[in-house]
Amino acid sequence: MFLTKLKINPAKRASRELLASPERMHAAVLGCFPPGEHADDSGRTLWRLDQRRKVEFSLLMVSPREPDCGGFVESYGWLPGESTRTASYEPLLDGLKMGQRWRFRLSANPVHAVKDPAHPAARGKRVGHVTAGQQFDWLLARAARNGFSMGTVDEPTALVDSRELLRFKKKPTDKREVTVLRASYSGVLQVTDIDALRHALCHGIGPAKSYGCGLLTLAPLN
């Protein structure tokens, strides 16, 4: 697995169009790999757009194959040497230990299934959690199965620090828009299941992974 950070130059018109459309960003991410080589048993390609201040945008990407970012940098980046950095993800994955505490960031699509009483056997329609409390409870309920804890219900070590509703069309000619509710989480987690956390880091958490949701990243506390 590989971790890549790409700096985006918002002064470019193409970059502004990219930043405004999760569908364009998804296509640009896939364009860094040969067709069909963005997922395997070890993991799948996940991405997240991070913003610092108004003009600092970075695309973070985790992938089972090392990406070729030349085309991306030429279209959306700054100078080649300043726009991209790729490193092996294996040292972090192999270095996970029970009880470790890490700072984390996650952008996710917190949803729940609402069943139709007329069709009780059906899976139900995905509906987004709207409030920050609901969105935090969504992640708290999934923490253990993904190999970590975030303090306690009464004293959590994480929070929802931003929320946004994305509306976009897959194609300009589409009449209907795609709607994705995206929540960003940050804080401190503790490792409770190494294999489960590795799976979460490589395969993502929750739905809408094609649209910038699901990527969990870790950083040392210090």
Side-chain angles (χ1 to χ4, degrees):
M1 296 292 292
F2 295 88
L3 174 65
T4 300
K5 183 176 182 179
L6 291 156
K7 293 183 178 180
I8 298 173
N9 181 357
K12 294 183 177 182
R13 179 178 178 181
S15 296
R16 294 194 294 273
E17 293 175 347
L18 181 76
L19 294 169
S21 172
E23 181 66 29
R24 285 177 182 263
M25 186 69 77
H26 175 54
V29 167
L30 294 188
C32 295
F33 306 91
E37 296 191 17
H38 54 87
D40 59 28
D41 292 340
S42 64
R44 60 170 291 169
T45 297
L46 304 164
W47 63 271
R48 185 180 77 225
L49 183 66
D50 285 350
Q51 180 178 358
R52 293 183 61 191
R53 305 183 182 91
K54 290 185 177 181
V55 295
E56 293 185 21
F57 296 90
S58 296
L59 174 67
L60 286 182
M61 185 164 56
V62 166
S63 58
R65 180 187 176 101
E66 185 172 3
D68 179 356
C69 302
F72 188 102
V73 172
E74 182 177 354
S75 297
Y76 312 113
W78 299 83
L79 296 176
E82 301 174 358
S83 291
T84 181
R85 184 173 60 193
T86 297
S88 172
Y89 214 31
E90 302 305 323
L92 183 143
L93 297 174
D94 293 341
L96 294 175
K97 293 180 174 60
M98 290 289 292
Q100 281 180 331
R101 298 173 75 238
W102 296 85
R103 293 196 180 278
F104 80 91
R105 289 193 61 82
L106 167 70
S107 288
N109 176 221
V111 298
H112 64 290
V114 176
K115 288 186 174 294
D116 183 350
H119 302 89
R123 292 181 58 185
K125 180 181 179 181
R126 281 180 176 174
V127 177
H129 287 298
V130 177
T131 70
Q134 292 171 340
Q135 292 168 350
F136 182 81
D137 289 344
W138 176 89
L139 181 59
L140 193 63
R142 285 157 180 76
R145 77 182 73 164
N146 286 291
F148 62 90
S149 64
M150 303 184 299
T152 66
V153 174
D154 295 327
E155 295 185 7
T157 58
L159 51 78
V160 177
D161 53 22
S162 68
R163 300 179 290 146
E164 58 184 330
L165 182 64
L166 308 176
R167 296 182 183 275
F168 56 94
K169 295 179 179 180
K170 289 189 175 183
K171 298 178 181 179
T173 55
D174 288 349
K175 293 183 178 180
R176 298 183 63 181
E177 291 183 319
V178 176
T179 301
V180 175
L181 187 64
R182 189 163 65 193
S184 294
Y185 305 82
S186 63
V188 176
L189 62 74
Q190 186 167 17
V191 182
T192 58
D193 184 322
I194 295 171
D195 290 338
L197 182 54
R198 282 176 179 157
H199 188 274
L201 290 167
C202 297
H203 294 266
I205 298 175
K209 296 181 179 72
S210 296
Y211 301 123
C213 298
L215 175 56
L216 172 69
T217 53
L218 305 180
L221 281 178
N222 57 355

